[in-house]
Amino acid sequence: MSNISLLSKSKSFNGEVRRYSHKSNSLSCDMKFHVYVPPKSSTPSSVLWFLSGLTCTDENFIQKSGAIQFASQNNIFLVCPDTSPRGIIIENPEDKWQGPGFGAGYYLDATTDKYKTHFNMFTYISKELFDLINQEFKDTINVNKHSIFGHSMGGLGAISLFIKTNGQYKSVSAFSPISNPTECDWSLHSFKQYLGSENKDSWLQYDPCHLLKNYDGKPFDLMVDQGSADEFLNDLKFDNLQLSCKENSKINLIARLQDGYNHGYFYISTFIKDHIEYHSKYLNN
């Protein structure tokens, strides 16, 4: 018996965009996610995860990025999760788009009493949904070939998940990631609410700059795009990311400053082909 329920499906580039729902144990709520199933091929599809940014749901990327065309061409199965638990009651919620709260899960596992029951996005993405995708689509995908990328908060999540899961993903890239959240006022506020205001070590375990600087595993490439006209450029700490990678010889940073581009989906759609083809090199070889 399937553990997921099909909500919708649409043909696109000879494959299918599908939306599913399921009961999440790690988040203690019902969740939705999108996938793109590429056209049938003689070889199983590789899997590419996209983690979205603040305020987004599972719908933004699949609808706006233009990724489907290139996923179809490269036999890539896309997975687009939501960015936080949904349909729950948060006591005394904060009305801030930067979080904490809905659309602002930061891909971490919360430890404070207020949030620890539901806000466990790291476990949800890296274990629960990962295992669910492998089980439900085992006849379609290569369960040993997963890669990950993301935008903004999702770029933060992609980098931290890639490093912290020890080889679960074959490659990683990011659009304009929140690179140093413990040095950014609005992301640090959410970290304090999720992880405790005094527990600085717990903040660092989800900080890409800290993880990259201290990484001591197998060498890897990291492609990062950043728009020069990004309205959040000072908050994203792109310079800190470059410095952290420069200090670690095991990381080959492919940093691309894109002149005149901002933080939105017109920017993402301009360079999405590069990211899909970048991951395809690692997934399909």
Side-chain angles (χ1 to χ4, degrees), residues 67-173:
I68 294 171
Q69 174 181 359
F70 306 111
S72 175
Q73 292 172 1
N74 289 278
N75 192 25
I76 285 177
F77 182 104
L78 291 174
V79 182
C80 304
D82 205 343
T83 56
S84 76
R86 301 287 177 176
I88 61 172
I89 296 175
I90 301 174
E91 184 179 354
N92 300 318
E94 298 189 35
D95 187 20
K96 297 178 180 178
W97 66 266
Q98 304 98 328
F102 297 122
Y106 282 90
Y107 304 103
L108 52 75
D109 284 350
T111 56
T112 56
D113 289 341
K114 182 175 179 178
Y115 292 105
K116 66 183 181 182
T117 300
H118 298 288
F119 282 79
N120 299 301
M121 290 299 293
F122 182 88
T123 294
Y124 174 67
I125 299 295
S126 66
K127 295 181 181 179
E128 183 179 8
L129 190 57
F130 187 87
D131 291 343
L132 188 66
I133 293 295
N134 279 345
Q135 176 61 36
E136 294 291 337
F137 299 99
K138 60 181 181 294
D139 295 331
T140 301
I141 65 172
N142 185 332
V143 298
N144 297 311
K145 288 191 174 183
H146 291 254
S147 287
I148 193 166
F149 68 146
H151 171 231
S152 195
M153 178 184 72
L156 177 162
I159 295 170
S160 66
L161 265 78
F162 178 85
I163 291 176
K164 289 166 67 67
T165 55
N166 298 314
Q168 180 165 301
Y169 306 98
K170 300 296 184 184
S171 55
V172 59
S173 71

Side-chain angles (χ1 to χ4, degrees), residues 205-230:
Q205 68 173 313
Y206 300 107
D207 187 313
C209 280
H210 175 78
L211 293 169
L212 291 164
K213 184 176 181 179
N214 292 279
Y215 176 75
D216 192 31
K218 182 180 178 181
F220 70 91
D221 297 335
L222 169 60
M223 186 168 79
V224 176
D225 278 339
Q226 174 62 61
S228 68
D230 193 317

Side-chain angles (χ1 to χ4, degrees), residues 35-53:
V35 299
Y36 174 66
V37 184
K40 288 185 178 180
S41 171
S42 58
T43 58
S45 302
S46 300
V47 185
L48 181 56
W49 295 69
F50 184 85
L51 305 185
S52 289

Side-chain angles (χ1 to χ4, degrees), residues 200-252:
K200 294 184 179 181
D201 287 342
S202 69
W203 309 343
L204 293 174
Q205 68 173 313
Y206 300 107
D207 187 313
C209 280
H210 175 78
L211 293 169
L212 291 164
K213 184 176 181 179
N214 292 279
Y215 176 75
D216 192 31
K218 182 180 178 181
F220 70 91
D221 297 335
L222 169 60
M223 186 168 79
V224 176
D225 278 339
Q226 174 62 61
S228 68
D230 193 317
E231 55 270 40
F232 305 113
L233 186 59
N234 290 335
D235 299 309
L236 297 173
K237 309 297 182 185
F238 183 58
D239 290 344
N240 292 4
L241 177 77
Q242 293 181 90
L243 182 60
S244 294
C245 292
K246 186 176 181 180
E247 293 178 359
N248 191 336
S249 62
K250 293 196 171 185
I251 300 165
N252 175 36

